[in-house]
Amino acid sequence: MKKVAIIGRPNVGKSSLFNRLLKKRDAITSDVSGTTRDIKKGIVDILENREFELLDTGGIDYSDELFSKVGDKSLKAAKEADIIVYMVDGKTIPDDEDKQRFWELQALNKPIALLVNKIDNDKEQQERFWEFSEFGANDIFPISVSHNRGLSPFYKWLEEHIAPNKIQNNIVDDEDIPLELLLENMDEEEEDKDIKVAIIGRVNTGKSSLLNALLKEDRVVVSDVAGTTIDPIDETIEYNDYNITFVDTAGIRRRSKILGIEKYALNRTENMLKDADIALLLIDATTGVTELDERIAGLIDKYKLGALIVVNKWDIRGEKEYKEAIEDIRDKLKFLHYAPIITISAKSGQRVNKILDHIINIYKRYSYRIPTSKLNDAIKMAISRHHVPSHNGQVVKIKYATQFATKHPRIALIVNKPHLLHFSYKRYLTNFLREQFDFEGVPIELIARKRGERDNIEEE
């Protein structure tokens, strides 16, 4: 990290500039000459992606023994610094000792700026500032720290001489994580054993046949006539201590063919999906994925449901090979890449019994809350393998992460510059967490936020 030293005689405004750059009142300021005697240090990030260590030195004055020691310390700090800011009082005439000292520091061949302070208005700048050209400074700035005047050109000069932070600075720091977040998962939450499962798909893909096979009874009318089911039908069974409620939804047609009561059925289906946990998306193996299947699958993404893709009529699919069929589904339903796929025959009962185990496993992941410490260990590991990309030289740092919701899992990333965290990196983190914590079949949502915006997360 670069070191920037502020040098000058007593009472020229060095500590006021130090406080201004630090954005807090850290150094004591006073009209009494020689108030600052020791070197004060602070980290400045006023230039967004650039940080530097700022040194506030005592005034250079050799009028007595104490001030001489302070002056020697200040000059030593200037020689050890990477950048020198020499400050003079613009309400006085240029001092010969100031000029001599500036030239000595200039000979160090380090970036050095001459700041003429207390130039409070244009009149003073026109009448007195030109006198300080005698210093022969390449970079000279008329400023007024107390009036916050003329500082922007000086800040730009600093930016030219301070390189952007290194990417390594974006690794999660455990000390950033609030203690209450680390403690919040110590008590296990009581598991909810009620699962709502929506069965969705095009007309005549076998939704009613699948429900009957799952219930092991003819609960729903099955017919070759497309659109037999109009009203969603709820049916609950108990399986491995879970209560699974199925809804056999009305088949969804193309929009041009949705008329009257079927349009009403589509609206009912959408309303039902808002309350579901998991969706079984039925695909007809004899036709493969159609454009309408893709639109229906979009409802799963819209409502952030756990998902299982069920390929029905596998026994009459023809000559299509398993690998070819799966690749076709994955290619056309890329946004459901996390959903497992099972091939079945609802009519013969082939592999139908495995669906219930899939539902329970997906639901456990859907309602799982990652302990904050484990979550941040995983985020730290992900960052160490692939650093957060900077944006036009600006460093993006993930301070910590916390999961604030389940069903579906929603995770807040506390970031210094949330708007600069690229969507592709969020996708990388999502996939990394999916592998680390086995979120197969479950959508994960990452939301970048600044610290203190936690209350607004729920509204996203």
Side-chain angles (χ1 to χ4, degrees), residues 363-376:
Y363 181 75
K364 286 179 178 178
R365 301 173 193 126
Y366 191 66
S367 54
Y368 177 63
R369 184 182 294 276
I370 309 170
T372 301
S373 58
K374 289 185 179 180
L375 173 60
N376 282 277

Side-chain angles (χ1 to χ4, degrees), residues 226-240:
T228 301
T229 303
I230 296 297
D231 285 317
I233 299 171
D234 292 9
E235 192 69 37
T236 301
I237 64 170
E238 187 175 329
Y239 182 78
N240 286 354

Side-chain angles (χ1 to χ4, degrees), residues 116-329:
V116 184
N117 192 26
K118 305 181 185 179
I119 301 295
D120 298 331
N121 51 57
D122 291 339
K123 182 180 178 183
E124 290 183 352
Q125 183 167 334
Q126 291 172 1
E127 291 179 353
R128 286 203 305 274
F129 172 64
W130 65 270
E131 296 177 352
F132 289 88
S133 61
E134 298 173 11
F135 280 72
N138 293 326
D139 301 291
I140 181 171
F141 303 96
I143 68 167
S144 173
V145 177
S146 61
H147 291 79
N148 195 26
R149 184 179 189 273
L151 290 170
S152 292
F154 168 58
Y155 293 162
K156 289 179 181 177
W157 178 83
L158 277 176
E159 188 173 4
E160 291 173 4
H161 296 284
I162 298 172
N165 292 336
K166 293 183 178 180
I167 295 300
Q168 281 77 357
N169 287 341
N170 58 31
I171 292 182
V172 174
D173 185 350
D174 292 340
E175 294 182 0
D176 284 332
I177 306 172
L179 181 61
E180 65 269 20
L181 293 180
L182 292 173
L183 298 178
E184 69 179 0
N185 303 119
M186 293 188 70
D187 295 325
E188 290 291 329
E189 297 179 10
E190 186 175 345
E191 186 180 1
D192 187 352
K193 296 280 190 173
D194 295 323
I195 311 174
K196 293 182 179 179
V197 180
I199 304 175
I200 63 174
R202 290 185 288 113
V203 294
N204 211 28
T205 53
K207 295 182 299 300
S208 297
S209 296
L210 174 59
L211 181 56
N212 286 339
L214 289 167
L215 300 176
K216 297 182 180 177
E217 63 174 296
D218 292 336
R219 170 64 180 84
V220 187
V221 176
V222 177
S223 166
D224 290 333
V225 177
T228 301
T229 303
I230 296 297
D231 285 317
I233 299 171
D234 292 9
E235 192 69 37
T236 301
I237 64 170
E238 187 175 329
Y239 182 78
N240 286 354
D241 296 327
Y242 285 85
N243 296 314
I244 305 174
T245 300
F246 292 100
V247 177
D248 180 35
T249 65
I252 302 174
R253 295 173 178 269
R254 293 184 182 277
R255 290 193 176 274
S256 61
K257 295 183 179 179
I258 298 175
L259 301 171
I261 194 168
E262 289 186 44
K263 184 175 182 180
Y264 174 70
L266 176 60
N267 292 335
R268 285 279 301 273
T269 297
E270 287 227 40
N271 289 332
M272 177 273 303
L273 287 173
K274 294 176 184 177
D275 298 323
D277 299 307
I278 297 171
L280 305 184
L281 174 63
L282 255 68
I283 302 294
D284 188 333
T286 63
T287 60
V289 178
T290 68
E291 182 182 348
L292 185 55
D293 285 318
E294 294 178 38
R295 293 182 184 177
I296 296 168
L299 293 174
I300 299 175
D301 184 56
K302 177 180 178 180
Y303 293 107
K304 304 299 181 186
L305 304 176
L308 175 64
I309 299 173
V310 181
V311 185
N312 193 24
K313 306 182 186 179
W314 189 249
D315 54 332
I316 58 170
R317 69 188 184 281
E319 297 180 357
K320 185 177 288 187
E321 294 294 330
Y322 176 82
K323 183 179 179 181
E324 178 188 352
I326 300 303
E327 287 179 351
D328 179 64
I329 292 170

